[in-house]
Amino acid sequence: MANLTISVDDATLKRARLRALQRDESVNAYLAEALRRYADAGDAMETMARVLSIAEASTHGTGRGGRAWTRDQLHRA
């Protein structure tokens, strides 16, 4: 596991530590999770773009005519 050093003003760090205590977590754990979400955001956006592409290609909605794509097709995206 790699270490990362960031710079933040003292007042912000103090407020972050107090908030972390209230939430029973550490500032380090919170930042690590936020960084994971940031790094993975591109993957989620690409997946959503594929799902939207399938939906846009559909000639039917979920109304009377039903869907033009199956659940399996959606999950293969």
Side-chain angles (χ1 to χ4, degrees), residues 8-41:
V8 64
D9 64 272
D10 292 338
T12 299
L13 181 57
K14 184 176 182 178
R15 290 192 318 273
R17 285 179 172 158
L18 288 172
R19 184 172 173 92
L21 280 172
Q22 293 169 344
R23 297 177 65 173
D24 196 30
E25 64 184 5
S26 70
V27 173
N28 188 62
Y30 176 82
L31 291 175
E33 178 58 30
L35 191 57
R36 275 189 290 278
R37 286 192 311 268
Y38 178 74
D40 294 340

Side-chain angles (χ1 to χ4, degrees), residues 37 39-51:
R37 286 192 311 268
D40 294 340
D43 294 339
M45 289 172 42
E46 289 171 15
T47 299
M48 183 55 72
R50 287 193 303 264
V51 169

